[in-house]
């Protein structure tokens, strides 16, 4: 049959990372590509015990029955307490919506606010799935320049004036792909600009628990007195992505519309996943869990930093994150290195990264790449970075 796909999807290819996943089916490939938690940290035993506990409790049938779209009430109540760690206070159950992962929170926010042709501002570079989701809403993503401490405020303001965006999407803590964190001053200033120009801020925060160094920074949502900010966090990077569970916090009027949007999408997030997470949070286990993850991720990040220093060409500059899962690097522009074009050759050496251009909304910076350090072992980080270093040094020598 010749399919007559909707305008929404007809020009969409798979996103760059999903395509790379196919390559990663080969176990001999060392992957710095995805954003997977380290496999050995996934809490199989904890989930087994909790599930068994839940299934023997008086809640068992309730958990296996259809639930409400807003979420499992005990988890919504626990969430109110949980988000205090991000400086979010003075909320009640009507401010909360349980979502099927952060990705759904992004989708529901755009579903709620974005019409065809609307503009959404994003940091350049940003989480690439956002660019993809925006295409399904036939919206335009415009990139805002950024530096080490967050968005360039002058560029942000001029783009707010010029494009009258509906939404600004940001990952202010340990961004994907750069690993950078916005300063408190930038967070406050971004919030003030959003109020001034009537823009919704979608604050996506899946990584802030994974901090190796420095002080916790309050969320942008913690400054919100006007209902401009929707905050989303997820348990994918702290517990297990397969649980597909996160929390959205917003003004009750916004949460209500997002809930109606969610009803049409998946009725509700798996009640079993929600109950498992509620059990975990109610026992205050997050800090203990995070303190197990951090030394491991720090060790891996340090291994990757040393391997980059040891093996990569001197024309490669890179970020040094205080947490999260990613390092973003770029080759001196004058070299004309195109990490997307070179990817098949690199992959033939059984090592993978994500070409950085996929993360940019406004310009294709083909000289960039994103490296993940949580998936590979320490040995693989060393040998994989050596392969990458040798490859790019050869390319540069032949220029
Ligand atoms: C910035 C960002 N937002 C959202 C997500 C989606 O996460 P989840 O598994 O919670 O849907 C990711 C996943 O890598 C991410 O990096």
């Amino acid at each position: 049959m010749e399919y007559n796909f909707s305008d929404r999807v007809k020009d969409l290819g798979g996103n760059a990372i999903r395509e790379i996943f196919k390559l990663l089916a080969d176990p001999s490939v060392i992957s710095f590509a995805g954003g997977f938690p380290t496999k050995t940290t996934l809490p199989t035993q904890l989930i087994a015990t909790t599930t068994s506990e839940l299934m023997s409790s008086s809640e068992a049938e309730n958990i296996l029955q259809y639930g409400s779209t807003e979420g499992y009430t005990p988890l919504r109540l626990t969430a109110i307490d949980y988000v205090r760690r991000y400086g979010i206070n003075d909320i009640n159950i009507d401010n909360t919506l349980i979502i099927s992962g952060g990705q759904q929170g992004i989708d529901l926010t755009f579903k709620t606010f974005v019409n065809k042709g609307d503009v959404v501002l994003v940091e350049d570079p940003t989480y690439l799935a956002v660019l993809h989701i925006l295409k399904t809403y036939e919206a335009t993503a415009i990139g805002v320049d950024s530096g080490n401490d967050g968005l360039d405020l002058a560029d942000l303001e001029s783009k707010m004036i010029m494009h009258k965006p509906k939404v600004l999407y940001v990952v202010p803590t340990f961004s994907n792909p750069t690993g950078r964190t916005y300063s408190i001053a930038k967070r406050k200033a971004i919030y003030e600009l959003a109020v001034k120009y009537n823009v919704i801020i979608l604050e996506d925060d899946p990584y802030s628990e994974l901090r190796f160094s420095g002080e916790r920074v309050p969320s942008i949502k913690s400054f919100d007195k006007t209902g401009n900010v929707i905050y989303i966090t997820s348990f994918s990077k702290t517990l297990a992505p397969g649980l597909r569970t996160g929390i959205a916090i917003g003004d009750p009027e916004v949460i209500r519309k997002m809930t109606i949007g969610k009803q049409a999408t998946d009725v509700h997030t798996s009640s079993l996943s929600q109950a498992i997470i509620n059990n975990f949070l109610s026992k205050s286990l997050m800090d203990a869990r995070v303190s197990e993850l951090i030394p491991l991720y720090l060790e891996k990040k340090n291994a990757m930093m040393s391997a980059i220093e040891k093996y990569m060409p001197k024309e490669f500059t890179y970020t040094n994150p205080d947490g999260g899962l990613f390092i973003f690097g770029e080759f001196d522009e004058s070299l004309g290195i195109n990490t997307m074009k070179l990817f098949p050759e690199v992959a033939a050496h059984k090592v993978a990264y994500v070409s950085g251009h996929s993360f940019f909304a406004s310009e294709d910076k083909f000289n960039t790449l994103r490296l993940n350090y949580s998936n590979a072992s320490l040995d693989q980080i060393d040998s994989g970075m050596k392969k990458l270093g040798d490859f790019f040094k050869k390319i540069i020598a032949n220029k």
Side-chain angles (χ1 to χ4, degrees):
M1 178 183 173
E2 199 170 304
Y3 296 109
N4 187 10
F5 289 120
S6 69
D7 292 345
R8 230 170 293 127
V9 302
K10 69 174 188 239
D11 296 325
L12 288 182
N15 83 38
I17 293 185
R18 295 282 147 202
E19 293 306 308
I20 291 171
F21 280 164
K22 289 183 198 156
L23 174 91
L24 304 184
D26 175 353
S28 65
V29 172
I30 298 175
S31 173
F32 303 135
F36 285 22
T38 305
K39 198 170 158 186
T40 51
T41 67
L42 294 173
T44 50
Q45 211 41 56
L46 174 79
I47 303 286
T49 323
T50 310
T51 306
S52 159
E53 218 175 276
L54 289 168
M55 287 300 106
S56 321
S57 75
S58 58
E59 273 291 276
E61 282 91 3
N62 196 16
I63 288 167
L64 295 183
Q65 190 53 277
Y66 281 114
S68 70
T69 306
E70 289 84 350
Y72 180 59
T73 303
L75 179 59
R76 290 178 80 201
L77 292 169
T78 307
I80 295 170
D81 249 1
Y82 178 69
V83 298
R84 286 185 208 283
R85 65 207 282 128
Y86 307 117
I88 304 170
N89 298 298
D90 302 327
I91 57 166
N92 64 46
I93 194 164
D94 296 329
N95 297 97
T96 68
L97 170 66
I98 305 302
I99 46 181
S100 299
Q103 187 92 347
Q104 184 177 63
I106 300 168
D107 183 69
L108 292 176
T109 303
F110 294 155
K111 194 177 197 175
T112 301
F113 284 102
V114 174
N115 289 321
K116 179 177 177 176
D118 280 347
V119 166
V120 170
L121 296 183
V122 299
E123 178 174 353
D124 237 352
T126 192
Y127 176 44
L128 92 170
V130 164
L131 304 177
H132 194 79
I133 297 170
L134 284 172
K135 283 189 187 147
T136 68
Y137 289 103
E138 299 174 86
T140 305
I142 304 265
V144 178
D145 296 340
S146 67
N148 267 333
D149 67 343
L151 299 179
D152 177 322
L153 296 174
D155 194 46
L156 176 63
E157 181 158 19
S158 79
K159 284 175 176 158
M160 281 182 170
I161 294 168
M162 193 187 327
H163 299 292
K164 300 189 172 32
K166 280 272 184 70
V167 181
L168 164 69
Y169 168 82
V170 283
V171 187
T173 308
F174 315 138
S175 139
N176 177 0
T178 66
R180 289 185 187 132
T181 294
Y182 296 9
S183 64
I184 298 191
K186 280 273 164 92
R187 289 169 192 239
K188 285 186 180 155
I190 290 167
Y191 169 67
E192 279 156 19
L193 285 174
V195 174
K196 183 169 174 190
Y197 295 104
N198 209 21
V199 176
I200 293 289
I201 297 177
L202 173 52
E203 179 177 23
D204 185 10
D205 187 22
Y207 297 110
S208 63
E209 289 305 314
L210 304 180
R211 176 178 282 283
F212 321 132
S213 49
E215 294 287 306
R216 199 185 268 276
V217 189
S219 63
I220 299 178
K221 181 70 184 161
S222 70
F223 305 117
D224 187 13
K225 299 269 178 282
T226 48
N228 282 65
V229 186
I230 298 169
Y231 174 87
I232 53 182
T233 186
S234 147
F235 299 96
S236 289
K237 312 298 174 175
T238 44
L239 264 182
L243 292 172
R244 307 304 311 131
T245 303
I247 300 168
I249 304 288
D251 185 273
E253 198 181 335
V254 173
I255 290 294
R256 179 79 196 122
K257 288 286 184 210
M258 289 172 72
T259 305
I260 293 165
K262 180 174 165 66
Q263 215 156 30
T265 305
D266 66 353
V267 186
H268 62 80
T269 297
S270 154
S271 303
L272 180 56
S273 291
Q274 295 188 66
I276 290 170
I277 286 169
N278 184 54
N279 187 294
F280 174 84
L281 294 181
S282 309
K283 291 178 180 163
S284 302
L285 294 176
M286 183 56 92
D287 289 335
R289 165 84 185 149
V290 162
S291 64
E292 279 170 21
L293 296 178
I294 284 175
L296 177 76
Y297 286 164
L298 176 60
E299 190 179 26
K300 287 184 178 231
K301 181 214 123 172
N302 286 343
M304 186 164 268
M305 293 296 284
S306 323
I308 293 174
E309 218 166 285
K310 194 156 138 198
Y311 302 122
M312 289 296 274
K314 62 180 184 321
E315 297 86 350
F316 182 72
T317 50
Y318 47 95
T319 57
N320 181 4
D322 282 328
L325 302 182
F326 305 106
I327 293 171
F328 198 73
E330 67 181 281
F331 292 98
D332 192 309
E333 229 158 337
S334 65
L335 294 168
I337 286 181
N338 183 324
T339 59
M340 182 192 71
K341 275 205 182 130
L342 289 170
F343 184 75
E345 276 181 63
V346 171
H349 290 81
K350 307 270 185 196
V351 60
Y353 55 74
V354 184
S355 165
H357 81 282
S358 352
F359 300 94
F360 287 87
S362 293
E363 50 171 347
D364 275 337
K365 289 196 73 174
F366 287 106
N367 59 325
T368 59
L369 57 84
R370 188 193 74 177
L371 296 166
N372 160 268
Y373 43 80
S374 57
N375 184 59
S377 67
L378 294 174
D379 284 349
Q380 286 176 322
I381 289 174
D382 189 77
S383 60
M385 287 312 302
K386 178 162 184 352
K387 285 181 190 198
L388 277 187
D390 289 349
F391 177 86
F392 283 111
K393 278 180 180 162
K394 208 185 260 176
I395 295 282
I396 291 171
N398 293 335
K399 285 259 171 207

